[in-house]
């Protein structure tokens, strides 16, 4: 862990002394007094409990410890400067464009909050949000059509050339309209859903595989009356207009559940948990604006983890 007593001025002064080969020349280069440069070096050596330079009549030179520290101090200062330049570039290019791919349920819960926070610092940035299935979004990302994707974790074979960073876990749930015949049934019999229409994610999607395995494990046959969709808008309208049971990521319907429009069926959602995270191309570092939005998404994802 970095000692909090080490300041940027300590590193800057150390590097300049090493570069100039003397405290006096380093002080001139930094536009500070020689006593100030000597004090900064002495403080740094005291904190590290080592001698960084050997002093002689011919001048000073790095000790073995100083040579080791030089490599890391140089990298640290360079990283700080690059960070400052990236922030400045992002600020100066506030009118840029960021393209993001998100799953429909993620668009409903995570992205609106993240974008409101992001826009407080990058008001003029245009954020283009594309929704689709996991496979569609990851394909677009690989082709360079998207800067990054917020999606579910998939099989490693589908992530070749991509990196994945877990943000939070989200389960699928089964919901019905409030007042549905299945509401309030005690004890609840999960097999009863076979008597009603069902709305499912598209065949071949990650979440469809999850719900299919869940239904099979509970001995439930899919009713003949079923529709398939990943559209939150259509799924919501469909379930509210009749007696359908909707299998949907919970994040996409939490607002309707809280408003009393939809009711969750009392199932064990543990087997239906999925990892939501950031997918990015491994060969392409994010631009400053993209990095800012990603940082904001991480912050909001942390809030979602705390909310449960």
């Amino acid at each position: 862990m970095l000692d909090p007593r080490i300041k940027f001025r300590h590193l800057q002064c150390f590097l300049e002394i090493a570069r100039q080969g003397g405290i006096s020349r380093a002080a001139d280069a930094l536009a500070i007094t020689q006593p100030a440069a000597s004090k900064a070096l002495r403080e740094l050596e005291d904190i590290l409990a080592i001698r960084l330079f050997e002093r002689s009549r011919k001048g000073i030179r790095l000790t073995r410890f100083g040579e080791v520290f030089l490599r890391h101090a140089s990298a640290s200062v360079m990283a700080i400067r690059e960070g400052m330049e990236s922030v400045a570039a992002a600020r100066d290019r506030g009118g840029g464009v960021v393209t993001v791919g998100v799953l429909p349920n993620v668009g409903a819960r995570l992205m609106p909050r993240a974008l409101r926070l992001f826009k407080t610092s990058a008001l003029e940035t245009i954020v283009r949000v594309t929704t689709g299935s996991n496979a569609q979004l990851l394909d677009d990302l690989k082709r360079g059509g998207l800067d990054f994707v917020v999606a579910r974790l998939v099989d490693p074979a589908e992530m070749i050339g991509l990196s994945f960073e877990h943000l939070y876990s989200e389960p699928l749930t089964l919901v019905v309209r409030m007042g549905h015949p299945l509401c309030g049934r005690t004890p609840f019999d999960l097999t009863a859903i076979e008597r009603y229409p069902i709305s499912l994610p598209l065949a071949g999607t990650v979440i469809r595989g999850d719900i299919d395995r869940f239904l099979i494990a509970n001995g439930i046959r899919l009713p003949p009356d079923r529709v398939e969709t990943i559209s939150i808008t259509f799924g919501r309208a469909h379930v509210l207009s009749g007696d359908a049971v909707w299998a949907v990521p919970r994040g996409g319907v939490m607002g309707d559940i809280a408003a009393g429009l939809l009711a969750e069926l009392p199932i064990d959602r543990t087997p239906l948990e999925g990892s939501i995270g950031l997918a990015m191309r491994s060969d392409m570092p994010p631009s400053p604006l993209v990095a800012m939005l990603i940082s904001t998404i991480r912050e909001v994802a942390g809030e979602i983890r705390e909310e449960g």
Side-chain angles (χ1 to χ4, degrees):
M1 183 178 294
L2 178 66
D3 192 314
R5 294 174 296 171
I6 296 180
K7 309 299 181 184
F8 182 75
R9 62 181 176 84
H10 291 136
L11 300 179
Q12 189 179 36
C13 191
F14 165 73
L15 292 175
E16 198 60 41
I17 293 172
R19 185 179 300 113
Q20 298 291 341
I23 295 177
S24 178
R25 290 191 294 274
D28 291 340
L30 294 171
I32 60 176
T33 65
Q34 182 172 337
S38 298
K39 180 182 178 183
L41 176 59
R42 185 171 62 253
E43 289 174 348
L44 181 59
E45 290 181 324
D46 289 343
I47 294 169
L48 297 175
I50 57 173
R51 296 295 297 273
L52 295 169
F53 294 95
E54 293 178 347
R55 297 160 179 81
S56 67
R57 293 181 179 179
K58 296 181 179 180
I60 62 173
R61 64 185 180 89
L62 287 166
T63 64
R64 182 163 49 88
F65 292 115
E67 291 174 353
V68 173
F69 188 70
L70 177 65
R71 293 196 298 270
H72 297 287
S74 298
S76 298
V77 171
M78 184 177 298
I80 292 172
R81 286 174 176 160
E82 288 177 352
M84 294 172 63
E85 291 171 359
S86 294
V87 169
R91 181 193 61 228
D92 296 340
R93 295 198 296 269
V97 178
V98 178
T99 57
V100 188
V102 299
L103 293 173
N105 58 295
V106 176
R109 187 180 186 191
L110 172 68
M111 289 305 296
R113 292 163 61 175
L115 289 178
R116 283 196 300 272
L117 183 58
F118 175 71
K119 286 291 188 174
T120 61
S121 301
L123 180 63
E124 297 180 2
T125 300
I126 298 172
V127 181
R128 294 175 179 159
V129 179
T130 299
T131 60
S133 68
N134 247 42
Q136 292 169 339
L137 296 177
L138 294 179
D139 283 345
D140 285 348
L141 177 62
K142 291 176 180 178
R143 290 196 298 266
L146 299 170
D147 290 313
F148 65 94
V149 167
V150 184
R152 284 189 172 241
L153 180 61
V154 295
D155 293 335
E158 299 179 53
M159 294 295 294
I160 295 175
L162 304 177
S163 64
F164 184 86
E165 175 188 336
H166 173 79
L167 293 175
Y168 61 93
S169 295
E170 181 176 77
L172 293 169
T173 190
L174 297 179
V175 296
V176 294
R177 62 171 174 79
M178 191 61 73
H180 189 282
L182 291 176
C183 286
R185 290 187 57 163
T186 306
F188 177 71
D189 180 10
L190 184 57
T191 61
I193 69 173
E194 294 179 351
R195 299 196 294 269
Y196 298 94
I198 190 167
S199 179
L200 297 163
L202 295 177
T205 60
V206 176
I207 53 178
R208 176 58 181 274
D210 291 341
I211 193 65
D212 281 350
R213 285 186 290 272
F214 174 79
L215 296 177
I216 291 171
N218 285 276
I220 296 172
R221 297 169 300 176
L222 288 179
D225 185 359
R226 58 183 182 267
V227 297
E228 297 182 352
T229 183
I230 59 169
S231 169
I232 295 295
T233 302
F234 171 77
R236 180 178 184 273
H238 179 63
V239 77
L240 288 174
S241 64
D243 288 340
V245 177
W246 187 15
V248 61
R250 195 167 187 265
V253 291
M254 288 185 65
D256 288 327
I257 294 170
L261 296 174
L262 297 176
E264 285 187 282
L265 298 182
I267 63 171
D268 178 12
R269 294 190 296 271
T270 305
L272 297 173
E273 287 276 352
S275 175
I276 302 296
L278 292 166
M280 292 172 278
R281 287 180 54 171
S282 303
D283 62 344
M284 185 177 296
S287 69
L289 281 175
V290 171
M292 283 179 61
L293 180 54
I294 288 174
S295 177
T296 305
I297 289 173
R298 289 183 180 126
E299 181 178 344
V300 175
E303 297 172 357
I304 290 175
R305 289 196 302 270
E306 293 179 0
E307 294 167 1

